[in-house]
Each structure stands twice: as structure tokens, then as C-alpha cells.
Amino acid sequence: GAVVSQHPSRVICKSGTSVKIECRSLDFQATTMFWYRQFPKQSLMLMATSNEGSKATYEQGVEKDKFLINHASLTLSTLTVTSAHPEDSSFYICSASGGRDTEAFFGQGTRLTVV
Amino acid sequence: GQNIDQPTEMTATEGAIVQINCTYQTSGFNGLFWYQQHAGEAPTFLSYNVLDGLEEKGRFSSFLSRSKGYSYLLLKELQMKDSASYLCAVMDSNYQLIWGAGTKLIIKP
């Protein structure tokens, strides 16, 4: 199957700093990328959907200025958690899709810990 | 509202068969996905159904009935490594994935 690489897999940062998470589709063009977060023992929560070259569409309750998403190319999307706080500690997962009728492939996930 | 229901937890014996059900109510339908997720890891794609019927892939099969808003994931010849959470997700009319809370499957020797 298609490969989606997410980096870093784990990151620890100090409160108030920013963290950037990268999501790359290695062998296909990802026209759409999805960003999720998952709290322990809970389902995945969609944060935003981004289409290449356009602004991301954020889900209700997700702060656009705090979670900056950039989808500048067909193989790369980034999520930047700005001014991170301990409550932002979570598991962040991206998935990439080559189009509306195709399945979405997931990255490995990033475990963010804010101390 | 949109809703995906699946059991919270199931227990089965190694070597046996288990069926995990998923019912959904969504605004439109563009396919149903099953994912496997081991603790601390990202979900792994298992199956995609968009037409009614059974799709078989090795030990795993997935069934869909669109008229009933129902799907199941069937796991045969269970192995200890199958212990994981199984997530049902439906793609709605806006091509957004609506996720169930997941079913934690516990395999006993």
C-alpha cells in the first residue's frame, strides 16, 4: 500500500514553544491531507482537512491560530502547534488521500508531550 | 446528527472467530473503512466497502449493508497479535471521515 511518513514520532517540548509536525506522502500525490488528534482511550478527532494549495478547513472548536496547517505541495503537509501548553499533549496523526474516491493512508503518528 | 456505534470491548479466544459490528447514521455515504490500531500506534487500514456485500482479505472480511446502515468486520483464526482496537469509519457526503469510538478486542489463549 501507499506510504505516508510522519515526523517526528515523538517530541517533548517546553510550554510556550512551537512544534512542527511533518506529513509526507512518499509514493503518491496527496491532494487531501487530514490531521487528527487522539486522547487516550478515545476515538480519533478530526482537527482539519487541507487540500493542496488552499487554506485548511478546521473543525469546530479547533483554533486556527494555534494549530497552523500548511499544505504547500502534493507530498507535504505540516502541522505547527504554536505556543504549546501541557493540555496540547496528545497523539497527532495525519492521513493522506490521493482523491475523493481513494482510501486514506495514515502516518505513524506523533506523540507530543508538553512540559 | 452523525453517529457511528460499535461495541466498546469484546473478548475472544485464540484460534476462534469474532465479528465486530458497526452501525452508522451519517449525512450521505461514500464508503466505510475498518482500521486496526495497536496501543500507542497510528491506525492501520484493513478494509474499504462502498458496495453491499462481503469483501474478503485473508483472515479478515468486511461486510456492508447500506440499506441497514450496518457493517461488520470478521476475524478468523484469531491470533494473539490481533489484540487491538478496531475502528469503524464512514465517509460522509462531504468526504469527511466520521469515526466510531473503536472496539477493544482482547484475545485470550
Side-chain angles (χ1 to χ4, degrees):
Chain A
V3 178
V4 174
S5 176
Q6 187 173 340
H7 177 81
S9 57
R10 293 177 186 272
V11 59
I12 300 173
C13 71
K14 290 185 177 180
S15 187
T17 61
S18 295
V19 174
K20 180 184 283 188
I21 302 170
E22 291 188 350
C23 182
R24 293 180 184 272
S25 58
L26 299 184
D27 54 1
F28 70 102
Q29 293 184 325
T31 54
T32 305
M33 285 196 176
F34 305 90
W35 285 96
Y36 301 85
R37 68 186 296 183
Q38 184 180 33
F39 292 102
K41 300 182 180 179
Q42 295 184 26
S43 179
L44 293 173
M45 183 191 79
L46 179 65
M47 298 174 66
T49 303
S50 72
N51 292 298
E52 184 267 337
S54 60
K55 290 184 178 179
T57 302
Y58 288 80
E59 295 300 299
Q60 193 172 12
V62 179
E63 298 176 60
K64 300 179 183 181
D65 296 332
K66 181 167 184 62
F67 299 99
L68 301 178
I69 292 172
N70 184 293
H71 191 168
S73 77
L74 284 170
T75 59
L76 174 64
S77 176
T78 60
L79 167 67
T80 302
V81 182
T82 63
S83 187
H85 292 287
E87 56 264 34
D88 298 325
S89 298
S90 187
F91 193 53
Y92 293 86
I93 307 172
C94 72
S95 71
S97 172
R100 287 191 157 185
D101 296 327
T102 61
E103 64 193 83
F105 296 93
F106 284 89
Q108 304 94 320
T110 298
R111 171 107 19 223
L112 171 63
T113 304
V114 184
V115 297
Chain B
Q2 311 211 89
N3 194 46
I4 309 283
D5 284 318
Q6 50 182 132
T8 305
E9 187 174 297
M10 299 182 70
T11 303
T13 305
E14 190 177 14
I17 298 173
V18 71
Q19 177 175 312
I20 303 174
N21 296 324
C22 172
T23 57
Y24 62 90
Q25 291 175 306
T26 57
S27 55
F29 179 83
N30 280 299
L32 184 144
F33 299 80
W34 282 98
Y35 287 88
Q36 180 192 61
Q37 186 181 27
H38 287 99
E41 299 179 13
T44 303
F45 171 79
L46 290 179
S47 67
Y48 171 65
N49 294 68
V50 67
L51 300 175
D52 290 350
L54 186 68
E55 295 274 347
E56 296 187 75
K57 270 188 186 180
R59 294 190 299 116
F60 293 1
S61 303
S62 57
F63 171 83
L64 174 68
S65 169
R66 288 171 297 172
S67 62
K68 295 181 179 178
Y70 166 70
S71 172
Y72 67 72
L73 179 69
L74 191 71
L75 293 76
K76 303 176 186 176
E77 301 169 17
L78 286 170
Q79 302 175 10
M80 297 305 292
K81 67 178 182 180
D82 297 330
S83 292
S85 285
Y86 291 85
L87 302 168
C88 172
V90 172
M91 186 168 281
D92 68 9
S93 57
N94 293 319
Y95 294 91
Q96 296 275 22
L97 278 177
I98 313 299
W99 290 88
T103 298
K104 183 178 180 181
L105 178 62
I106 299 168
I107 310 295
K108 294 185 175 180

